[in-house]
Amino acid sequence: MLSRLSFGVQRKIVIIGFIMIPLVLLLTFAYYPALELIRLSFTNWDGLSPDMQWVGFENYREVFRNPEIFGVFWHNLAYFVIGIIQNILAIYFAVILNSRLKGKHFFRLLLFLPYILNGVAVAYLFGYVFDTTQGSLNLFLGSLGLPSDTSWLGSESFVNYTLASIGLWRYMGFNMVIYLAALQSIPADIYEAASIDGASGWQKFRFITLPNIYRIIELNLFLTVTGALEVFDIPFVLTNGGPAGASETFVMKIIETAFQFNNYGLASAMSVVLLVIVVAVLSIQRYFLNRGDQ
Amino acid sequence: MGNENKIWTGLKYLSLLLAVFVVLFPPYVIVVNAFKTKDEFFNKTSLQLPESFVNFGNFVEAFRQADMGTAFGNTLIIVVVTLLLNILLGSAFCYAVGRFQFRFRGLLVGLFLFATIIPQITTQVVNYKTILSLGLTNNLMGPVLLYIGADILQIYIYLQFIRNIPYELDESALLEGASLFRIYATIIFPLLAPATATIVILKTINIYNDMFVPFLYLPRAEHVVVSTSLMRFFGTNSGDWQMVSSAILIIMIPTAVMYLFLQRYIFAGVTNGAVK
């Protein structure tokens, strides 16, 4: 039936018909909220009442001045530090699994496994590992004769590092698989030529491998930075921000401000700040990437 | 030289075994404790093996108490509806964008790709309001709408894939008088099958593992999904570690099994989605 219509008409129907719904959804759930956030961030809307007042930059002043809000980013720093270690480990294991090695498929399968497990389940799993008195980590350390009474999740000074190490457990394999794919795309004859010229293993890594996976390192670092900025589920489920707010992350603070304290204006301003930081990180990365191409 | 190589190989295996130990240690503890009775749990350390690995009492009890029947049912409904819409809308969209040149095409694709950098977690403050005004809070279709509206993984994967389907196929079908819709439905869509498989698997895992959206949009007990059922169960049984362990295991097993059987698609999807 449709084939009786001219090609031009069909083309128009397909283009408009096939594009409309996804476009409307995208605008509604990605772009409209981003713009609406900006508008709400200048108001004192409480999420319920029909009217809201324009408060100018008051919310932004609050975000940057109140150390209880902006200072929370210090907690996110732990996730960044551990994220860097995670990337170094991921490159190391990717290089190893890219060499001639027995059982490398098995190792890849196993190291990636944590990534696909349910986040809530992972959080409680580690609740058990890190428990002070009955936790399996302290038991294990005790059996090795090491101090076994560390309160992994109860210490304000390193609770964030404990939580971030769960992220390392979860995502190292993911980074590794991406690095591995990049390594596999480097032509083998470059390495052969280098071997003939007498290059050592380290020299090959330094002068062939690293330059070839440079872009992927940057991509992974970007994922690490944004991941560190947007941490939510593990601390939310496991410590709910405790002890005494020491493990609260910025996103948790946003959710709390909006949905518990009904301060949508302030929560929107916080969201905009986060959005701007993420876009800035991406732009910087793009800038360096493009410069590297020239 | 030979000795140096041997040491290096030894170090490689040693570090891999260490990594395997670190990866498996936490699940190991859960597995051994999930099979312990209450008495056993108090009389043994948490690293010791249970008396028997066929003591499924905890699993039955956890499944019942956490209302996991309902939870798995709800998750299944959300996954199936989301996937159907995602595949249909995503593949059609990529057919239109991948096969035709038109004004604003570049802008349109750019709009979709740029959206990936807006952190979804930040826009929830507004999306909550939107879902509320559509009357879809406390409705399984609320999360469905968010999963198909704000996530563009399927478009990313289909777009990459459709480029590799030769245009000559479309041309010869056109010459034989097939309509464009027919070409999409009988030629392009079937050829996109590997991409569809990847999308089905990755999205299923993503939705199954998501806690944030159901926690925010489906607070009622009747709408419990897998992630939130575990949170509720933990809330009332936090002291009963052998019970919690079995609940954790029940929830981890489906994606782990899926992963073992479909790893090829998962690795392909992860590397395609990230690299490029």
Side-chain angles (χ1 to χ4, degrees):
Chain A
M1 226 200 54
L2 264 168
S3 61
R4 288 206 202 116
L5 300 168
S6 77
F7 180 77
V9 177
Q10 281 190 44
R11 186 175 165 273
K12 228 172 234 165
I13 294 174
V14 164
I15 290 175
I16 295 173
F18 283 7
I19 283 171
M20 218 25 105
I21 300 176
L23 183 61
V24 168
L25 285 171
L26 182 79
L27 294 177
T28 313
F29 291 107
Y31 285 100
Y32 161 72
L35 295 176
E36 178 71 357
L37 270 184
I38 297 174
R39 188 177 76 93
L40 287 177
S41 70
F42 292 105
T43 70
N44 65 354
W45 191 50
D46 64 1
L48 298 165
S49 72
D51 47 41
M52 52 181 100
Q53 262 127 36
W54 195 257
V55 295
F57 282 94
E58 195 44 54
N59 290 325
Y60 287 96
R61 227 166 275 148
E62 175 75 9
V63 171
F64 290 108
R65 268 201 204 144
N66 187 342
E68 282 196 11
I69 298 176
F70 204 70
V72 164
F73 272 123
W74 284 112
H75 302 163
N76 291 66
L77 184 71
Y79 295 88
F80 177 70
V81 172
I82 299 284
I84 298 293
I85 298 172
Q86 175 184 322
N87 271 281
I88 294 170
L89 285 173
I91 295 175
Y92 170 75
F93 284 114
V95 168
I96 285 187
L97 293 186
N98 195 41
S99 65
R100 212 170 301 149
L101 194 83
K102 269 192 198 124
K104 60 181 173 185
H105 292 288
F106 166 77
F107 286 119
R108 183 182 69 161
L109 185 73
L110 215 68
L111 294 189
F112 185 79
L113 174 74
Y115 178 72
I116 53 108
L117 297 176
N118 183 290
V120 177
V122 167
Y124 291 135
L125 180 68
F126 275 93
Y128 198 18
V129 171
F130 288 129
D131 192 79
T132 311
T133 49
Q134 294 189 44
S136 42
L137 178 61
N138 276 344
L139 263 172
F140 176 70
L141 291 177
S143 70
L144 294 180
L146 296 164
S148 60
D149 55 353
T150 315
S151 176
W152 298 100
L153 293 169
S155 154
E156 287 184 34
S157 57
F158 59 79
V159 63
N160 289 306
Y161 285 89
T162 306
L163 291 168
S165 66
I166 302 175
L168 186 144
W169 183 84
R170 237 175 135 193
Y171 295 118
M172 196 283 286
F174 172 79
N175 294 129
M176 183 195 77
V177 164
I178 295 175
Y179 284 125
L180 196 54
L183 290 177
Q184 281 161 352
S185 68
I186 305 175
D189 45 351
I190 302 182
Y191 288 104
E192 278 163 27
S195 298
I196 293 167
D197 289 342
S200 71
W202 169 252
Q203 283 173 324
K204 278 187 261 184
F205 175 74
R206 170 76 186 73
F207 296 106
I208 302 174
T209 309
L210 269 188
N212 270 294
I213 60 167
Y214 184 60
R215 288 185 82 109
I216 304 301
I217 294 178
E218 281 188 324
L219 173 92
N220 272 312
L221 282 183
F222 171 72
L223 291 175
T224 302
V225 175
T226 52
L229 287 168
E230 295 166 23
V231 181
F232 175 75
D233 59 350
I234 296 284
F236 178 74
V237 172
L238 201 48
T239 61
N240 200 10
S247 67
E248 245 189 341
T249 66
F250 197 69
V251 170
M252 282 168 73
K253 202 90 190 171
I254 293 176
I255 300 301
E256 182 189 81
T257 308
F259 299 105
Q260 273 176 37
F261 302 137
N262 291 327
N263 195 342
Y264 279 68
L266 183 59
S268 300
M270 293 163 74
S271 301
V272 171
V273 169
L274 182 59
L275 194 66
V276 168
I277 295 175
V278 170
V279 173
V281 170
L282 186 79
S283 310
I284 293 168
Q285 189 212 10
R286 281 277 151 86
Y287 172 76
F288 281 112
L289 265 182
N290 291 338
R291 209 183 52 167
D293 280 350
Q294 280 156 15
Chain B
M1 197 67 198
N3 267 340
E4 217 173 277
N5 265 340
K6 259 183 205 154
I7 293 171
W8 174 223
T9 310
L11 277 178
K12 271 185 197 174
Y13 279 106
L14 198 68
S15 57
L16 278 169
L17 288 178
L18 194 67
V20 167
F21 174 76
V22 172
V23 165
L24 289 183
F25 180 66
Y28 163 80
V29 178
I30 292 298
V31 170
V32 296
N33 286 299
F35 290 94
K36 285 178 186 166
T37 62
K38 208 166 194 149
D39 288 341
E40 250 187 299
F41 184 79
F42 285 113
N43 293 328
K44 288 178 171 173
T45 75
S46 60
L47 299 178
Q48 277 171 312
L49 293 175
E51 208 99 305
S52 92
F53 273 109
V54 285
N55 170 25
F56 289 105
N58 295 334
F59 292 91
V60 175
E61 191 55 26
F63 193 89
R64 198 183 56 77
Q65 269 194 44
D67 202 7
M68 285 194 197
T70 314
F72 277 103
N74 284 335
T75 300
L76 189 70
I77 293 171
I78 294 176
V79 166
V80 169
V81 179
T82 305
L83 282 176
L84 285 178
L85 290 169
N86 258 326
I87 289 164
L88 200 69
L89 294 172
S91 61
F93 176 86
C94 291
Y95 173 66
V97 167
R99 284 312 200 219
F100 305 101
Q101 288 295 331
F102 50 90
R103 242 199 309 174
F104 304 124
R105 181 178 164 277
L107 179 74
L108 187 70
V109 175
L111 214 54
F112 273 85
L113 298 186
F114 186 75
T116 47
I117 69 157
I118 302 174
Q120 277 179 46
I121 221 157
T122 61
T123 49
Q124 293 311 323
V125 173
V126 178
N127 280 343
Y128 189 80
K129 208 175 69 157
T130 309
I131 295 289
L132 197 67
S133 63
L134 290 171
L136 289 178
T137 47
N138 288 314
N139 185 323
L140 294 180
M141 292 307 119
V144 167
L145 204 57
L146 288 169
Y147 291 139
I148 61 168
D151 186 7
I152 65 145
L153 179 79
Q154 69 279 5
I155 285 172
Y156 209 76
I157 291 178
Y158 275 135
L159 262 185
Q160 285 190 19
F161 209 86
I162 205 166
R163 280 192 213 134
N164 299 325
I165 300 175
Y167 192 65
E168 287 79 40
L169 289 175
D170 301 51
E171 277 173 344
S172 57
L174 268 175
L175 286 176
E176 283 169 27
S179 70
L180 289 180
F181 185 77
R182 209 184 149 82
I183 293 176
Y184 157 71
T186 61
I187 298 177
I188 301 297
F189 186 73
L191 284 175
L192 287 171
T196 305
T198 301
I199 291 163
V200 166
I201 295 160
L202 287 185
K203 282 250 170 179
T204 303
I205 291 176
N206 284 350
I207 296 171
Y208 184 89
N209 289 345
D210 184 32
M211 173 271 289
F212 189 62
V213 168
F215 176 77
L216 212 55
Y217 295 88
L218 301 172
R220 284 200 200 142
E222 64 196 275
H223 296 130
V224 67
V225 298
V226 171
S227 296
T228 46
S229 76
L230 185 56
M231 286 171 83
R232 272 191 209 145
F233 183 71
F234 187 82
T236 48
N237 293 279
S238 55
D240 256 341
W241 265 107
Q242 74 284 7
M243 290 281 279
V244 174
S245 295
S246 50
I248 291 174
L249 254 192
I250 296 174
I251 281 173
M252 279 185 166
I253 283 170
T255 48
V257 170
M258 214 173 148
Y259 171 59
L260 285 182
F261 285 102
L262 304 168
Q263 33 170 307
R264 197 160 55 91
Y265 292 99
I266 294 175
F267 287 132
V270 165
T271 45
N272 278 339
V275 187
K276 259 281 159 188

